[in-house]
Amino acid sequence: MATLGIEEEYLLLDPVSGLPVHKAEEVAGYLHRSPRVTEGEIQRELLSCQIETATPVSATLTEAEEYLLNFRGQLEAAARKASVVASGTASAPFIEDHYPELTDKERYRQLRESAPGIVGDQFVNGLHVHVSIPDREAGVQALNRIREWLPAIVALSCNSPYWLGRDSGFGSWRVVHYRRWPVQGCPPTFKDAADYERRVAQLVSTGAIIDRGVLTWMARLSDSYPTLEVRAGDAQLRARDSVLIAALVRGLVSTAVEEAGRGIDRPVPEAELLDAAMWQAAREGLTGQLVDPVSAKLVPAADRVQALLDFVSEALDAENDAEWVRAGLLDIRDTGTGSERQRRAMDQGGTAGLLKLYGTALTGE
């Protein structure tokens, strides 16, 4: 059985204007005082209006969800004390007209020096899922095989429709934003683990990126853990949706590792088709048609999700995740992705309605 870990990022927003508020240090201080939160659970992100956490290594979806719900509950209480709203939206709906405050960390200052225009707009949050792998060779072979499905993960996770106070027209503006970084999108294919290491080292040596952490591919091997890390998803309004995406990602990685071990070949989508599929998924979410990067055809989003479910079905059964995943997918079909729920909240209640959604969804809804 493969274990998993989930990293979630949250934005701190003004409860009236919805603008990002640089109070992460204050919120973190309240979290540190909570007996239900340990020191290692509280992590700071690039901007001082962001907070991050990561679940412990989890064997079951229940373990991961219980952790996230506990942390989100403590975060909501800490944010309330700091007079801000903590939110699982993947983009700030409104942006300040001055350069944001960075978390006081040398690496973040280096990032600002290397790409000030991009860092100054980095009001975006992702969902990162780690899945255990037998070794880095197995991880590279799995990485090669999951590429065709990463756009489907993007479509399911869309949760960043608003930017600069207007509807971006995209379900995931975060994905579009990330296209500005030098190493982005779906990863290329690699011959083996040695090829992966050689090419990553080559990228760093160019100076275009400051370190391996700025490999903003949608999936990569972790340098810190024996895992394959999938970074395709937007941060989620609800913990249950984060866990749903994590379950599908675990199913993907497990299926890919198993197929690679048996020497089963997978089609290799052409790079431009993967890029188009990613862009289309970010725009449409589950509301329209998606690009099948193997057949090069547009297909209904529901069909693409079903194809993903079929591909990972044996792995879901092996982990006893199938019922959870099917229930979660039915819920998203009925209520929509995070972006769809955000748009409904804005249409019905304006900024106040959107901020209310953020608050209620953080710990339940």
Side-chain angles (χ1 to χ4, degrees), residues 84-124:
V84 299
V85 172
S87 169
T89 183
S91 65
F94 310 100
I95 306 297
E96 302 165 299
D97 60 2
H98 57 82
Y99 204 85
E101 178 185 305
L102 268 61
T103 297
D104 186 17
K105 189 175 181 180
E106 178 59 28
R107 182 172 180 274
Y108 294 155
R109 289 189 287 271
Q110 292 174 356
L111 271 177
R112 179 176 58 193
E113 291 171 7
S114 71
I118 302 176
V119 169
D121 287 345
Q122 196 70 9
F123 297 95
V124 290

Coordinates of all heavy atoms in Angstrom, one line a residue, residues 84-124:
V84 N -9.1 38.5 10.6 CA -9.0 38.2 9.2 C -9.8 36.9 8.9 O -10.3 36.2 9.8 CB -7.5 38.0 8.8 CG1 -6.7 39.2 9.0 CG2 -6.9 36.8 9.5
V85 N -10.0 36.7 7.6 CA -10.6 35.5 7.1 C -9.6 34.5 6.5 O -8.8 35.0 5.6 CB -11.7 35.8 6.1 CG1 -12.3 34.5 5.4 CG2 -12.8 36.6 6.7
A86 N -9.5 33.3 7.0 CA -8.6 32.3 6.4 C -9.4 31.6 5.3 O -10.5 31.2 5.6 CB -8.1 31.3 7.5
S87 N -8.8 31.4 4.2 CA -9.5 30.9 3.0 C -8.7 29.8 2.3 O -7.5 29.9 2.1 CB -9.9 32.0 2.1 OG -10.4 31.5 0.9
G88 N -9.5 28.8 1.7 CA -8.9 27.8 0.9 C -9.0 28.2 -0.6 O -8.8 27.3 -1.4
T89 N -9.3 29.4 -0.9 CA -9.3 29.8 -2.4 C -7.9 29.7 -2.9 O -6.9 30.0 -2.2 CB -9.9 31.2 -2.6 OG1 -9.9 31.4 -4.0 CG2 -9.1 32.3 -1.9
A90 N -7.8 29.4 -4.2 CA -6.4 29.2 -4.8 C -5.9 30.5 -5.4 O -4.8 30.6 -6.0 CB -6.4 28.1 -5.8
S91 N -6.7 31.6 -5.4 CA -6.2 32.9 -5.9 C -7.0 34.0 -5.1 O -8.1 33.8 -4.7 CB -6.5 33.1 -7.4 OG -7.9 33.2 -7.6
A92 N -6.3 35.1 -4.8 CA -6.9 36.2 -4.1 C -7.8 36.9 -5.1 O -7.4 37.3 -6.2 CB -5.8 37.2 -3.6
P93 N -9.1 37.1 -4.8 CA -10.0 37.7 -5.7 C -9.7 39.2 -6.0 O -10.1 39.7 -7.0 CB -11.4 37.5 -5.1 CG -11.1 37.4 -3.6 CD -9.8 36.7 -3.5
F94 N -9.1 39.8 -5.0 CA -8.8 41.2 -5.1 C -7.3 41.4 -4.7 O -6.8 40.7 -3.8 CB -9.7 42.1 -4.2 CG -11.1 41.8 -4.3 CD1 -11.8 41.0 -3.4 CD2 -11.8 42.3 -5.4 CE1 -13.1 40.7 -3.6 CE2 -13.2 42.0 -5.6 CZ -13.8 41.2 -4.6
I95 N -6.6 42.3 -5.4 CA -5.2 42.4 -5.2 C -4.8 43.8 -4.8 O -5.4 44.8 -5.3 CB -4.4 42.1 -6.5 CG1 -4.8 40.7 -7.0 CG2 -2.9 42.1 -6.2 CD1 -4.5 39.6 -6.1
E96 N -3.9 43.9 -3.9 CA -3.4 45.2 -3.4 C -2.7 45.9 -4.6 O -2.2 45.3 -5.5 CB -2.4 45.0 -2.3 CG -3.0 44.3 -1.1 CD -1.9 43.8 -0.1 OE1 -1.0 43.0 -0.5 OE2 -1.9 44.3 1.0
D97 N -2.6 47.3 -4.5 CA -1.9 48.0 -5.6 C -0.5 48.4 -5.2 O 0.1 49.2 -5.8 CB -2.7 49.3 -5.9 CG -2.8 50.2 -4.7 OD1 -2.3 49.9 -3.6 OD2 -3.5 51.3 -4.8
H98 N 0.1 47.7 -4.2 CA 1.5 47.8 -3.9 C 2.2 46.5 -3.7 O 1.5 45.5 -3.6 CB 1.7 48.7 -2.6 CG 1.0 48.1 -1.4 ND1 1.5 47.1 -0.6 CD2 -0.3 48.4 -0.9 CE1 0.7 46.8 0.3 NE2 -0.4 47.6 0.2
Y99 N 3.5 46.5 -3.7 CA 4.2 45.2 -3.7 C 3.9 44.5 -2.4 O 4.0 45.1 -1.3 CB 5.7 45.5 -3.9 CG 6.4 44.3 -4.4 CD1 6.5 44.0 -5.8 CD2 7.0 43.3 -3.5 CE1 7.2 42.9 -6.3 CE2 7.7 42.2 -4.0 CZ 7.8 42.0 -5.4 OH 8.5 40.9 -5.9
P100 N 3.7 43.2 -2.4 CA 3.3 42.5 -1.2 C 4.5 42.3 -0.2 O 5.6 42.3 -0.6 CB 2.8 41.1 -1.7 CG 3.5 40.9 -3.0 CD 3.6 42.3 -3.6
E101 N 4.1 42.1 1.0 CA 5.2 41.8 2.0 C 5.5 40.3 2.0 O 4.7 39.5 2.0 CB 4.6 42.2 3.4 CG 5.5 41.9 4.6 CD 4.8 42.1 5.9 OE1 4.3 43.3 6.1 OE2 4.8 41.2 6.8
L102 N 6.9 40.1 1.9 CA 7.3 38.7 1.9 C 7.6 38.2 3.3 O 7.9 38.9 4.2 CB 8.6 38.6 1.1 CG 8.6 38.3 -0.4 CD1 7.8 39.4 -1.1 CD2 9.9 38.2 -1.0
T103 N 7.5 36.9 3.4 CA 7.9 36.2 4.7 C 9.4 36.4 4.8 O 10.2 36.3 3.8 CB 7.6 34.7 4.6 OG1 6.2 34.6 4.6 CG2 8.1 34.0 5.9
D104 N 9.9 36.7 6.0 CA 11.3 37.0 6.2 C 12.2 35.8 6.1 O 12.4 35.1 7.1 CB 11.5 37.7 7.6 CG 12.9 38.2 7.8 OD1 13.6 38.3 6.8 OD2 13.2 38.5 9.0
K105 N 12.6 35.4 4.9 CA 13.4 34.3 4.7 C 14.3 34.5 3.5 O 13.9 35.1 2.5 CB 12.5 33.1 4.4 CG 13.1 31.7 4.3 CD 12.1 30.6 4.2 CE 12.8 29.2 4.1 NZ 11.8 28.2 3.9
E106 N 15.6 34.2 3.6 CA 16.6 34.5 2.6 C 16.2 34.0 1.2 O 16.3 34.6 0.2 CB 17.9 34.0 3.0 CG 19.0 34.2 2.0 CD 19.2 35.7 1.7 OE1 19.0 36.6 2.6 OE2 19.7 36.0 0.5
R107 N 15.7 32.7 1.2 CA 15.3 32.1 -0.1 C 14.2 33.0 -0.8 O 14.2 33.1 -2.0 CB 14.8 30.7 0.1 CG 14.5 30.0 -1.2 CD 14.2 28.5 -1.0 NE 13.9 27.9 -2.3 CZ 12.7 27.9 -2.8 NH1 11.7 28.4 -2.1 NH2 12.5 27.3 -4.0
Y108 N 13.3 33.5 0.0 CA 12.2 34.3 -0.6 C 12.7 35.6 -1.1 O 12.3 36.1 -2.2 CB 11.1 34.5 0.4 CG 10.4 33.2 0.8 CD1 9.7 33.1 2.0 CD2 10.3 32.1 -0.1 CE1 9.1 31.9 2.4 CE2 9.7 30.9 0.3 CZ 9.0 30.8 1.5 OH 8.4 29.7 1.9
R109 N 13.7 36.1 -0.5 CA 14.3 37.4 -1.0 C 15.1 37.1 -2.3 O 15.0 37.9 -3.2 CB 15.3 38.0 0.1 CG 14.5 38.6 1.2 CD 15.5 39.4 2.1 NE 16.3 38.5 2.9 CZ 16.0 38.0 4.1 NH1 14.8 38.3 4.7 NH2 16.9 37.2 4.8
Q110 N 15.7 35.9 -2.4 CA 16.4 35.5 -3.6 C 15.4 35.4 -4.8 O 15.6 35.7 -5.9 CB 17.2 34.3 -3.4 CG 18.4 34.4 -2.5 CD 19.0 33.1 -2.2 OE1 18.6 32.0 -2.6 NE2 20.1 33.1 -1.5
L111 N 14.2 34.8 -4.4 CA 13.2 34.6 -5.4 C 12.7 36.0 -6.0 O 12.5 36.2 -7.2 CB 12.0 33.9 -4.9 CG 12.0 32.3 -5.0 CD1 10.7 31.8 -4.3 CD2 12.0 31.9 -6.4
R112 N 12.5 36.9 -5.0 CA 12.1 38.3 -5.5 C 13.1 38.9 -6.4 O 12.8 39.5 -7.4 CB 11.9 39.2 -4.2 CG 11.4 40.6 -4.6 CD 11.1 41.4 -3.3 NE 12.3 41.4 -2.4 CZ 12.2 41.8 -1.2 NH1 11.0 42.2 -0.7 NH2 13.3 41.8 -0.4
E113 N 14.4 38.7 -6.0 CA 15.4 39.3 -6.9 C 15.5 38.7 -8.3 O 15.8 39.3 -9.3 CB 16.8 39.1 -6.2 CG 17.0 40.0 -4.9 CD 18.2 39.6 -4.2 OE1 19.0 38.8 -4.7 OE2 18.4 40.2 -3.1
S114 N 15.2 37.4 -8.3 CA 15.2 36.7 -9.6 C 14.0 36.9 -10.5 O 14.1 36.9 -11.7 CB 15.4 35.2 -9.4 OG 14.2 34.6 -8.9
A115 N 12.8 37.2 -9.9 CA 11.6 37.4 -10.7 C 10.6 38.3 -9.9 O 9.6 37.8 -9.5 CB 11.0 36.0 -10.9
P116 N 11.0 39.6 -9.8 CA 10.2 40.4 -8.9 C 8.7 40.6 -9.4 O 7.8 40.7 -8.6 CB 10.9 41.8 -9.0 CG 11.8 41.7 -10.2 CD 12.2 40.2 -10.3
G117 N 8.5 40.6 -10.7 CA 7.2 40.8 -11.3 C 6.3 39.6 -11.0 O 5.1 39.8 -10.7
I118 N 6.9 38.4 -11.0 CA 6.1 37.2 -10.8 C 5.8 37.1 -9.3 O 4.7 36.8 -8.8 CB 6.8 36.0 -11.3 CG1 7.0 36.1 -12.8 CG2 6.0 34.7 -11.0 CD1 7.8 34.9 -13.4
V119 N 6.9 37.3 -8.5 CA 6.7 37.2 -7.0 C 5.7 38.2 -6.5 O 4.9 37.9 -5.6 CB 8.1 37.3 -6.3 CG1 7.9 37.5 -4.8 CG2 9.0 36.1 -6.6
G120 N 5.7 39.4 -7.1 CA 4.8 40.4 -6.6 C 3.3 40.1 -6.9 O 2.4 40.7 -6.3
D121 N 3.1 39.1 -7.7 CA 1.7 38.7 -8.0 C 1.4 37.3 -7.5 O 0.4 36.7 -7.9 CB 1.5 38.6 -9.6 CG 1.4 40.0 -10.2 OD1 1.2 41.0 -9.4 OD2 1.5 40.1 -11.4
Q122 N 2.2 36.8 -6.6 CA 2.1 35.4 -6.2 C 1.0 35.1 -5.1 O 1.2 34.4 -4.2 CB 3.5 34.8 -5.8 CG 3.6 33.3 -5.7 CD 3.6 32.6 -7.0 OE1 3.7 33.3 -8.1 NE2 3.5 31.3 -7.0
F123 N -0.2 35.7 -5.4 CA -1.3 35.5 -4.5 C -2.1 34.3 -4.9 O -3.3 34.3 -5.1 CB -2.2 36.7 -4.5 CG -1.6 38.0 -4.0 CD1 -1.0 38.9 -4.9 CD2 -1.5 38.3 -2.6 CE1 -0.4 40.1 -4.4 CE2 -0.9 39.4 -2.1 CZ -0.4 40.3 -3.0
V124 N -1.4 33.1 -5.0 CA -2.0 31.9 -5.5 C -1.6 30.8 -4.5 O -0.5 30.7 -4.0 CB -1.6 31.6 -6.9 CG1 -2.3 32.6 -7.9 CG2 -0.1 31.6 -7.1

